[in-house]
Amino acid sequence: MAIEVLMPALSPTMEEGTLAKWLVKEGDTVSSGDLLAEIETDKATMEFEAVDEGVVGKILIAEGTEGVKVNSPIAILTEEGESLDDIEAVSTAATWTTNQAEAHKSEEHSVTTVDATVAPNPAPARTFVDATAGPARIFATPLARRIAAEKNLDLSQISGSGPHGRIIKADVESVSRQPSIVSTSKPASPLSKSIASEPSAEQIIKIYQDRDHEEVPLDGMRKTVAARLTEAKQTIPHFYLRRDIKLDELLTFRSDLNRQLETRSVKISVNDFIIKACANALQQVPDANAVWASDRIIKLGPSDIAVAVAVDGGLFTPVLKDAHQKSLSALSLEMKDLATRARNRKLAPHEYMGGSFAISNLGMFGIDNFDAVINPPHGAILAVGTGSKKPHVGHDGELTVATIMTVTLSVDHRVIDGALGAELLQGIVDCLENPLSMLA
């Protein structure tokens, strides 16, 4: 029995991806666990393994194809001895699915009249049944699946009227007893909502049509960054807390520590101290170690710290889990590994998702201070500026020169109130100005 290979969802937020490279060709025999293809998501390029076994009967999506929707067919596996004629029905349906975005453009952007009383008798939803593989697979368009999920409908109870029995939007709408004329406008993404009142791309291009320019299309990462940061600034009530930190004691301690670690090829950076300080402060102020979850706050036990890493075309925020339990040398080695793999786009989703707190350090670029945008669902993010020599008035009133670093804590007011945020920032300052305390 022919089996469709579907575009996988390689991360919880993935809706589409690029089929970067096929690792098999038509006629190859594959087993469960064999590598089939390299899939490029919005964050990384990952290898995709076969779940079923069989022969690659037909490749439906050419390598290099962008915008392939999750759960759309990309290839067909057959059993030994099956011919292309045997998989013609599956191939036809799969080809229709591949082209459905164009064919159903009007379905997603217009108002459609649905009259179930005049529709032909729908064919049963097409399924492949394997007595050893559990429930039969149900075939439905992505739009139909989304509407069914929103309306809490069981797709197994819906008959499909699309090609080869595929469930389409009209089938779901008729079952949910919507009015005969329904709006089929596609829900706007956070990015599309944000630009609803902005000039269109065509209007902007027209302004600069007589100027030398280059149009740069948005790749998956840039689209994700734009959507998430737009959502963050529109929906998160940010407030900002700023402090100056005297670094002289830390810099002296760091220099001594690195001399002792030379034989181990470990070099601790100021950023490693900042990670450790934030992790310890979250343990000291546990109510601030929290994230926003729509209708509730989730308080975390461990200090999982995300650190922004700039990459070509965007950024990653790899997460150092249980940072409060790790030594400075362990954090340093782990951070270097994560940053290197982030720049090569080799991080797995579980390595850059999660955490309750983030750090964005632009000090190495000479930035004195800045306000960072919170990365949802985090409760806060620390923006770190450069450390530079400045006049400093000591506790005894004596004017001296000290190395001062300015940090700004951006806080989600839904999660952390002002006094709690100030307490957290004080904990970070105390750790950095008294670095030996982080070893206790």
Side-chain angles (χ1 to χ4, degrees):
M1 177 69 70
I3 300 173
E4 287 181 338
V5 178
L6 304 181
M7 183 69 168
L10 298 178
S11 74
T13 59
M14 179 178 170
E15 296 181 357
E16 61 181 34
T18 298
L19 207 159
K21 181 180 180 181
W22 279 107
L23 302 178
V24 295
K25 60 182 182 299
E26 292 182 1
D28 286 354
T29 299
V30 298
S31 301
S32 178
D34 288 350
L35 297 179
L36 293 181
E38 292 181 356
I39 306 295
E40 182 180 330
T41 69
D42 56 352
K43 289 286 190 180
T45 299
M46 304 178 66
E47 294 174 332
F48 170 43
E49 297 181 354
V51 176
D52 302 294
E53 61 180 26
V55 177
V56 181
K58 190 174 183 63
I59 290 177
L60 303 173
I61 303 295
E63 61 181 38
T65 302
E66 300 179 355
V68 183
K69 298 292 185 182
V70 167
N71 289 329
S72 61
I74 60 175
I76 299 175
L77 295 182
T78 65
E79 294 181 351
E80 290 286 349
E82 282 188 314
S83 66
L84 289 179
D85 292 338
D86 298 321
I87 63 173
E88 181 179 357
V90 178
S91 177
T92 302
T95 302
W96 177 86
T97 302
T98 304
N99 296 324
Q100 66 183 320
E102 184 66 28
H104 284 255
K105 185 174 181 181
S106 59
E107 179 180 334
E108 295 189 345
H109 296 283
S110 63
V111 174
T112 304
T113 301
V114 179
D115 189 348
T117 61
V118 298
N121 292 329
R126 182 169 54 88
T127 60
F128 295 130
V129 180
D130 183 344
T132 65
R137 189 187 303 171
I138 298 171
F139 288 86
T141 68
L143 181 59
R145 289 183 184 277
R146 184 168 67 248
I147 294 174
E150 291 172 353
K151 299 181 181 298
N152 198 28
L153 298 177
D154 185 356
L155 283 175
S156 66
Q157 303 301 314
I158 300 176
S159 296
S161 61
H164 299 276
R166 187 178 295 270
I167 299 171
I168 62 174
K169 173 186 172 296
D171 303 323
V172 179
E173 292 285 6
S174 63
V175 170
S176 61
R177 297 180 181 177
Q178 294 294 312
S180 60
I181 296 185
V182 299
S183 172
T184 59
S185 300
K186 185 178 181 180
S189 67
L191 179 58
S192 63
K193 289 178 182 177
S194 72
I195 63 176
S197 60
E198 295 179 359
S200 67
E202 289 73 18
Q203 290 173 313
I204 298 296
I205 292 171
K206 188 174 181 180
I207 296 174
Y208 298 98
Q209 61 184 356
D210 62 340
R211 309 303 299 160
D212 184 28
H213 69 277
E214 175 189 2
E215 294 181 28
V216 181
L218 300 180
D219 61 13
M221 175 175 285
R222 198 74 247 167
K223 289 178 182 177
T224 300
V225 170
R228 286 181 62 82
L229 295 186
T230 300
E231 175 190 8
K233 288 298 288 184
Q234 287 183 339
T235 63
I236 296 177
H238 288 63
F239 71 92
Y240 306 94
L241 303 173
R242 208 177 311 274
R243 288 288 299 269
D244 288 338
I245 301 176
K246 187 171 178 288
L247 289 182
D248 296 87
E249 189 172 338
L250 184 147
L251 294 175
T252 300
F253 176 62
R254 170 179 173 263
S255 179
D256 293 340
L257 188 59
N258 280 335
R259 275 197 298 270
Q260 298 174 44
L261 293 174
E262 283 181 354
T263 58
R264 293 166 51 185
S265 300
V266 176
K267 188 173 183 179
I268 309 297
S269 68
V270 172
N271 202 55
D272 298 327
F273 280 97
I274 294 171
I275 294 169
K276 184 66 173 178
C278 292
N280 286 3
L282 288 171
Q283 293 299 303
Q284 297 165 15
V285 190
D287 286 344
N289 190 19
V291 299
W292 179 254
S294 183
D295 62 350
R296 69 201 67 184
I297 294 172
I298 298 177
K299 292 184 179 180
L300 301 180
S303 294
D304 297 341
I305 308 295
V307 181
V309 175
V311 301
D312 187 23
L315 59 84
F316 276 95
T317 52
V319 179
L320 296 116
K321 296 181 179 178
D322 301 304
H324 60 295
Q325 296 178 346
K326 296 174 180 176
S327 67
L328 285 164
S329 59
L331 287 172
S332 179
L333 292 173
E334 184 177 355
M335 189 65 237
K336 286 181 175 66
D337 172 62
L338 289 171
T340 298
R341 290 192 290 117
R343 295 186 183 100
N344 294 326
R345 300 201 179 190
K346 294 297 183 182
L347 291 180
H350 71 271
E351 293 178 304
Y352 59 78
M353 301 187 73
S356 64
F357 187 93
I359 298 169
S360 180
N361 190 341
L362 293 180
M364 66 284 294
F365 298 104
I367 302 300
D368 286 326
N369 65 77
F370 66 103
D371 300 335
V373 180
I374 296 170
N375 185 26
H378 294 170
I381 182 171
L382 186 73
V384 181
T386 190
S388 57
K389 296 287 187 181
K390 296 180 181 178
H392 176 70
V393 179
H395 294 298
D396 57 1
E398 181 183 1
L399 182 63
T400 61
V401 175
T403 303
I404 304 297
M405 178 179 73
T406 301
V407 299
T408 303
L409 187 67
S410 302
V411 185
D412 184 342
H413 214 322
R414 301 171 300 180
V415 182
I416 301 172
D417 292 325
L420 186 62
E423 186 180 354
L424 175 63
L425 186 53
Q426 182 63 56
I428 296 171
V429 172
D430 289 343
C431 286
L432 292 174
E433 291 191 339
N434 302 280
L436 280 173
S437 66
M438 288 188 275
L439 304 183

